[in-house]
Amino acid sequence: MRISQRVQDLAESGTIAVSNKVAALRAQGVDVISLGAGEPDFDTPAHVKQAADDALGRGETKYAKPASGVPELKQAVCNKLARENDLTYTPDQVIASVGGKEGLYLAFATLLDPGDEVIIPAPYWVSYPEQVKLCGGVPVIVNAGADQDFKITPQQLRDALTDRTRVFVFNSPSNPTGSAYSPEETEALAGVLADTDVITFSDEMYDRLLYGGRTFKSFGTVSDHAYDHTITFNAGSKTYSMTGWRVGYAAGPVEIIKGMAKLQSQTTSGAATFTMHALAAALDGDQACVEMMRSEFERRGAFVSDALNRIEGVICPEPGGAFYVFPDVSDTYEQVGVSGSTEWANRLLEDAHVGVVPGSDFGDDNCVRLSFATSMENLEESLRRMEAFLE
């Protein structure tokens, strides 16, 4: 049976691959601690689940009208972005999606023609370059290592621009590194694009998860030009621990949002109606649950980065946000007897029964990604096993 070349060329999600390996070992009775999953270990807040239950009770089980998002959610998104991000949108500038991932894909597919270039800072979330390639685009990778706190400079962005550049992907706080651009750094990058027609995809999935007193600035707030050339992406997944609900949103220029909705009408027909009402309740409701999770993630992140930096040969910048650290473990490769991050992660899983994601999946083969979205007990034990593995 013949499989299309585009699917043959598509890389498997590294995070899902690790989860599958962990599940296989656990099925054999092995005590594995997984630090690979990119999802909070907290339950979805009770008032959000209640909103979904209420929506089901009201019969909100039909196609959403409009399919691009029920009015209650679109307004809640506008409220959230105005309240927390200083961004003013109207409901016709908003689309609800089947998780943040679908929103990004719809936007790439709406904007890219074959050969169009997309600038992607590395380390990057695993799906960015694959989605670009699926849409006929060309990923242009701009590398920023641990010595730059995994953040590209304005000059690097300027050097990557060509007459084929269509999109710049901006993700802060970052998956996989946990690095977060300051407002000044965000402004400097936006300034590079101020005289171009490049559209910025601002992935702000972790905008509420910032640590060390850091402040957040949405890319679209930098200037009128930035606002007119930015699509802002978010979801309930990370902020409200709603990964399995598969509901996200994007906001941006009306014509782009209309194009995304047109494409969505021929693919998924949109997110499940009752989950949209649940996300609306999350965005408009009591935000105390967010601060509870944020403060606990901050505590865990500091613990993990400190513990990793005490291991000889490991360098781990402290995370500025999200719930990941991205330590450089390349100085231990010779000691472990491996040549790269994939082999290193496989050895750690096989020998120490700790699951992490190879940095090669994120564009940096010197590093591995650890998620600290798990209990302190699991983190303490996994760090003990990792230290023993590297003795």
Side-chain angles (χ1 to χ4, degrees):
M1 184 177 294
R2 187 173 67 86
I3 304 299
S4 73
Q5 192 61 47
R6 73 172 64 89
V7 170
Q8 292 184 53
D9 292 342
L10 187 67
E12 180 185 16
S13 168
T15 52
I16 292 176
V18 169
S19 296
N20 291 341
K21 291 177 183 178
V22 168
L25 284 173
R26 285 176 175 167
Q28 299 170 24
V30 179
D31 176 23
V32 179
I33 299 175
S34 177
L35 304 181
E39 62 179 350
D41 56 311
F42 301 100
D43 193 10
T44 304
H47 69 282
V48 179
K49 293 193 288 184
Q50 185 62 53
D53 190 48
D54 291 345
L56 288 169
R58 296 193 305 270
E60 303 281 4
T61 59
K62 308 300 183 183
Y63 292 124
K65 299 176 182 62
S68 59
V70 298
E72 293 87 346
L73 176 55
K74 290 192 175 191
Q75 188 58 56
V77 169
C78 294
N79 297 343
K80 181 268 193 247
L81 292 174
R83 180 181 70 242
E84 298 171 3
N85 301 76
D86 197 27
L87 286 167
T88 301
Y89 288 109
T90 53
D92 62 344
Q93 293 177 280
V94 174
I95 183 172
S97 55
V98 184
K101 186 178 289 189
E102 190 210 19
L104 285 159
Y105 180 77
L106 291 173
F108 281 129
T110 296
L111 288 175
L112 298 181
D113 285 319
D116 284 346
E117 295 178 354
V118 177
I119 297 174
I120 303 175
Y124 46 70
W125 181 50
V126 293
S127 293
Y128 294 146
E130 300 309 309
Q131 289 192 356
V132 169
K133 289 185 284 187
L134 278 173
C135 296
V138 179
V140 176
I141 307 302
V142 179
N143 294 292
D147 58 328
Q148 296 179 211
D149 194 21
F150 303 114
K151 295 183 283 189
I152 67 168
T153 66
Q155 188 59 51
Q156 284 181 293
L157 176 57
R158 188 175 292 109
D159 292 343
L161 290 170
T162 74
D163 58 3
R164 295 294 313 214
T165 304
R166 185 72 173 118
V167 173
F168 167 53
V169 177
F170 181 72
N171 176 214
S172 177
S174 163
N175 176 5
T177 67
S179 64
Y181 287 82
S182 69
E184 295 76 17
E185 290 167 332
T186 302
E187 290 167 359
L189 292 175
V192 173
L193 304 177
D195 58 352
T196 75
D197 288 326
V198 173
I199 304 298
T200 296
F201 285 14
S202 189
D203 183 346
E204 303 183 2
M205 196 69 60
Y206 301 91
D207 66 337
R208 302 289 299 281
L209 301 179
L210 282 168
Y211 315 131
R214 289 174 174 81
T215 56
F216 181 82
K217 187 176 185 66
S218 285
F219 203 94
T221 65
V222 171
S223 66
D224 290 343
H225 179 277
Y227 176 85
D228 291 337
H229 291 77
T230 299
I231 308 174
T232 301
F233 298 88
N234 212 317
S237 300
K238 317 300 181 177
T239 303
Y240 302 102
S241 195
M242 296 176 69
T243 50
W245 294 69
R246 308 315 305 138
V247 58
Y249 57 89
V254 170
E255 290 308 309
I256 297 177
I257 297 300
K258 284 183 177 178
M260 293 167 63
K262 182 179 177 182
L263 178 60
Q264 186 182 58
S265 74
Q266 297 289 6
T267 52
T268 65
S269 294
T273 306
F274 63 91
T275 68
M276 295 191 209
H277 287 279
L279 181 55
L283 295 173
D284 278 342
D286 187 349
Q287 302 297 300
C289 56
V290 178
E291 175 55 24
M292 179 277 292
M293 288 187 277
R294 189 209 65 79
S295 61
E296 177 60 16
F297 285 140
E298 182 172 25
R299 182 174 78 97
R300 295 175 187 177
F303 166 77
V304 171
S305 60
D306 287 346
L308 286 168
N309 281 319
R310 289 195 295 270
I311 300 176
E312 186 175 354
V314 177
I315 302 171
C316 183
E318 185 173 343
F323 37 69
Y324 311 103
V325 289
F326 201 62
D328 186 328
V329 296
S330 59
D331 282 350
T332 70
Y333 286 173
E334 183 176 354
Q335 171 190 344
V336 176
V338 301
S339 60
S341 62
T342 299
E343 290 180 84
W344 194 96
N346 285 336
R347 282 286 308 278
L348 181 69
L349 181 58
E350 293 165 2
D351 297 355
H353 303 150
V354 175
V356 301
V357 187
S360 56
D361 292 324
F362 305 101
D364 190 333
D365 199 32
N366 290 328
C367 302
V368 293
R369 191 192 78 172
L370 285 70
S371 168
F372 50 85
T374 187
S375 68
M376 281 296 294
E377 180 183 8
N378 280 342
L379 293 173
E380 289 168 355
E381 175 61 16
S382 63
L383 268 296
R384 186 195 66 77
R385 293 183 187 184
M386 192 176 299
E387 187 173 10
F389 170 72
L390 292 173
E391 284 181 349

